[in-house]
């Protein structure tokens, strides 16, 4: 028997079917479709050979900006001979484009889902600005200050007697030096030539070699044609393929994210080990903070970043991890909604323990201006265990540091917008969109009484800024469009389909409900 189209039974059947359709639509739209999108993101972001993600991982498809600003000493004679506070002028930025490749990759263990590689950096000066790499700059002489700290009293006396032969020709024999930008940063300032030293000073030179062995920025070079040996100091040559020592960036083993999306890019081993041995002492109460190997190498991040989770990066330049905390979870970035912004906080270079001397970053490796041990943990950081030379790091213009460091320098004006670090990430794909890494290099200008003809008793003493650098990137439009095509357009289409499907199901359900109510109404009226 055929049921009338508006019979009570038919209306009930249609209502049940509409309810099931509506429930199925909700299940599909709010569970099924997101699951499909999540799986697509997993396929696009994991490190699988032959994919675009893999190619981008092996070679960053765009260059980063690497800018250096020097603190130029305007009154060198007054600083050395009259004890005047250095009149510092910040130079214009000297900018290089930095390309990054990952080489010699291998898959040691498929079961652990890892890939091992080392990185190579290539720098090219950007001539589009107003600066030139041949420009001469006058700065505090970090080599001389470091050498005087590294040597003991007898070594300092012997070194002072040969300073003309070892450093004179390179203009490195005074507390303040003038050098070209390109030599200071990458090409190197050459000193200590074996053909310029007599027998006595050759012995002193040979005594210096062990002191400089672990200094990252100094190399010993031998000319193939003449056999002459000399030293070369360059702030950042250790990042290039011209470096003669073992590159400090090391060998990375990271998770490929094929099985576990949340582990993508996270460092599993560095140089074959699972700990960082650089910092920490027997008296430290938080050695795990310094020793634990955590985070990524800063080039790749896992998808679906949680709002409450910081980003952790292991930085080989400073031999430690850095944490960035989320400060904005709904940033609009060049048409992308919901980007996450991460920043370091004011505790970046401050002690993590109640007693600073018990902090694992309190190395006491660099003497202060009074030749005493110092933790340098009130917004500064003793870099010697990593660099091998007594250098103090801080944020530019001593941002978030104790005011005592910058109070004498009128030109230093710490500004979070100009000197802080940050990172902007698209959270669903883990794509880094924009970032800035900034750090300042400082040296200890200190009198040495036994060699007063080099460091007079009238010389100013203090922690003096030498330069600050900024490593930055902003994703090019080309790759932003690629991200839009691969992810955002699909999400928009899925969202449109999702709500359209729910709307149709809701309309059917409402229509059947209306028919049922209408049927009941007329039934009661007829009765």
């Amino acid at each position: 028997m055929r049921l009338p189209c508006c019979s009570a039974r038919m209306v009930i059947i249609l209502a049940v079917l509409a309810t099931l359709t509506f429930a199925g639509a909700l299940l599909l739209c709010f569970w099924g479709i997101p699951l499909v999108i999540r799986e697509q993101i997993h396929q696009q972001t994991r490190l699988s050979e032959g994919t675009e993600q893999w190619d981008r991982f092996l070679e960053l498809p765009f260059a980063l900006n690497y800018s250096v600003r020097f603190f130029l000493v305007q009154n060198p004679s007054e600083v050395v001979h009259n004890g005047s506070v250095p009149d510092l002028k910040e130079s214009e930025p000297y900018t290089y484009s930095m390309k990054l490749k990952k080489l010699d990759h291998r898959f040691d263990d498929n079961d652990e889902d890892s890939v091992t590689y080392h990185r190579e950096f290539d720098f090219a000066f950007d001539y589009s600005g107003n600066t030139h790499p041949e420009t001469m700059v006058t700065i505090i002489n970090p080599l001389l200050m470091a050498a005087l700290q590294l040597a003991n009293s007898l070594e300092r006396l012997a070194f002072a007697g040969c300073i003309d032969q070892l450093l004179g020709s390179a203009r490195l024999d005074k507390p303040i030096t003038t050098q070209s930008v390109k030599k200071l940063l990458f090409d190197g300032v050459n000193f200590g030539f074996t053909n310029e030293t007599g027998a006595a000073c050759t012995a002193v030179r040979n005594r210096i070699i062990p002191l400089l062995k672990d200094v990252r920025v100094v190399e010993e070079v031998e000319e193939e044609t003449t056999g002459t040996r000399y030293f070369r100091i360059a702030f950042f040559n250790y990042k290039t393929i011209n470096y003669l020592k073992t590159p400090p960036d090391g060998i990375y083993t990271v998770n490929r994210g094929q099985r576990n999306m949340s582990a993508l890019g996270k460092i599993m081993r560095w140089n074959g080990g699972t700990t960082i041995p650089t910092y920490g002492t027997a008296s430290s109460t938080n050695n795990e903070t310094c020793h634990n190997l955590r985070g990524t190498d800063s080039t790749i991040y896992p998808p679906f970043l949680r709002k409450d989770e910081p980003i952790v990066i292991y930085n080989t330049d400073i031999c430690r991890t850095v944490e960035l905390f989320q400060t904005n979870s709904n940033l609009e970035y060049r048409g992308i909604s919901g980007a996450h912004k991460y920043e370091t906080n004011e505790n970046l270079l401050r002690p993590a323990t109640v007693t600073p001397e018990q902090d694992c970053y309190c190395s006491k490796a660099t003497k202060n201006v009074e030749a005493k041990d110092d933790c340098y943990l009130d917004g500064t950081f003793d870099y010697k265990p990593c660099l091998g030379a007594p250098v103090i790091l801080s944020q530019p213009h001593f941002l978030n540091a104790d005011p005592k460091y910058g109070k004498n320098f009128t030109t230093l004006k710490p500004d979070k917008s100009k000197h802080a670090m940050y990172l902007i990430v698209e959270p669903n794909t883990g794509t880094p969109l924009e970032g800035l890494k900034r750090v300042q290099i400082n040296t200890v200008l200190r009198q040495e009484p036994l060699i007063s003809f080099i460091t007079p008793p009238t010389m100013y003493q203090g922690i003096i800024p030498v330069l600050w650098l900024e490593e930055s990137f902003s994703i090019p439009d080309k790759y932003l469009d690629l991200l839009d095509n691969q992810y955002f357009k699909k999400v928009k289409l899925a969202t449109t389909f999702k709500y359209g499907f729910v709307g149709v199901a809701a309309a059917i359900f409402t229509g059947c409900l209306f028919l049922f109510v209408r049927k009941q109404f007329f039934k009661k009226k007829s009765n």
Side-chain angles (χ1 to χ4, degrees), residues 162-362:
C162 295
I163 194 167
D164 286 339
Q165 295 185 56
L166 293 172
L167 302 181
S169 62
R171 294 180 295 183
L172 290 170
D173 55 334
K174 300 291 191 296
I176 297 174
T177 185
T178 300
Q179 305 288 343
S180 74
V181 169
K182 65 183 297 186
K183 287 185 176 181
L184 284 172
L185 298 185
F186 294 104
D187 286 11
V189 181
N190 301 330
F191 65 96
F193 287 82
T194 52
N195 60 356
E196 294 180 358
T197 55
C201 289
T202 296
V204 173
R205 184 190 183 282
N206 292 337
R207 185 67 188 90
I208 291 174
I209 293 175
L211 298 178
L212 300 179
K213 177 183 177 183
D214 296 324
V215 177
R216 183 184 292 184
V217 297
V218 178
E219 308 157 81
E220 187 177 23
V221 183
E222 182 174 358
E223 293 183 351
E224 294 183 3
T225 54
T226 64
T228 300
R229 296 191 307 276
Y230 57 89
F231 298 110
R232 174 173 68 196
I233 178 172
F235 287 120
F236 305 119
N237 189 53
Y238 70 86
K239 298 175 74 71
T240 74
I241 59 174
N242 300 319
Y243 192 59
L244 300 178
K245 297 180 180 180
T246 302
D249 195 51
I251 309 254
Y252 295 83
T253 299
V254 307
N255 196 293
R256 298 172 68 190
Q258 296 193 115
R259 297 186 180 91
N260 181 4
M261 280 189 294
S262 62
L264 174 67
K266 292 187 177 179
I267 300 173
M268 306 168 77
R269 289 182 298 280
W270 182 72
N271 281 342
T274 57
T275 59
I276 309 168
T278 310
Y279 301 100
T281 65
S283 61
S284 305
T285 59
N286 65 325
N287 275 329
E288 68 282 354
T289 301
C290 293
H291 294 166
N292 287 350
L293 183 61
R294 300 181 296 131
T296 76
D297 71 352
S298 81
T299 64
I300 188 170
Y301 303 97
F304 302 107
L305 296 170
R306 296 200 303 266
K307 291 184 177 182
D308 58 342
E309 187 176 12
I311 279 182
V312 183
I313 296 169
Y314 175 55
N315 190 315
T316 55
D317 285 339
I318 59 175
C319 306
R320 61 173 285 181
T321 57
V322 174
E323 284 191 329
L324 295 97
F325 302 91
Q326 189 178 116
T327 57
N328 191 330
S329 63
N330 193 28
L331 181 69
E332 181 78 19
Y333 180 83
R334 291 163 58 186
I336 294 179
S337 300
H340 290 185
K341 185 175 184 179
Y342 298 83
E343 299 177 88
T344 55
N345 60 25
E346 65 277 3
N347 296 319
L348 174 64
L349 300 177
R350 292 186 176 274
T353 61
V354 176
T355 306
E357 288 77 12
Q358 292 181 329
D359 190 276
C360 63
Y361 288 116
C362 173

Side-chain angles (χ1 to χ4, degrees), residues 83-151:
S84 299
V85 176
D87 179 11
L88 301 178
K89 177 184 178 182
E90 184 177 292
S91 74
E92 292 294 313
Y94 295 87
T95 303
Y96 293 75
S97 64
M98 182 179 78
K99 293 184 178 179
L100 171 61
K101 295 180 181 179
K102 298 183 177 77
L103 302 176
D104 299 331
H105 70 274
R106 64 179 189 269
F107 307 108
D108 297 324
D109 188 344
N110 287 330
D111 290 336
E112 74 170 4
D113 194 20
S114 66
V115 58
T116 298
Y117 58 89
H118 71 86
R119 305 193 298 182
E120 180 180 286
F121 301 88
D122 182 59
F123 295 85
F125 191 82
D126 181 1
Y127 288 92
S128 63
N130 298 321
T131 56
H132 195 280
E134 297 287 356
T135 301
M136 305 297 287
V137 294
T138 299
I139 61 173
I140 300 296
N141 183 352
L143 175 67
L144 180 60
M145 295 301 103
L148 297 180
Q149 281 239 17
L150 291 170

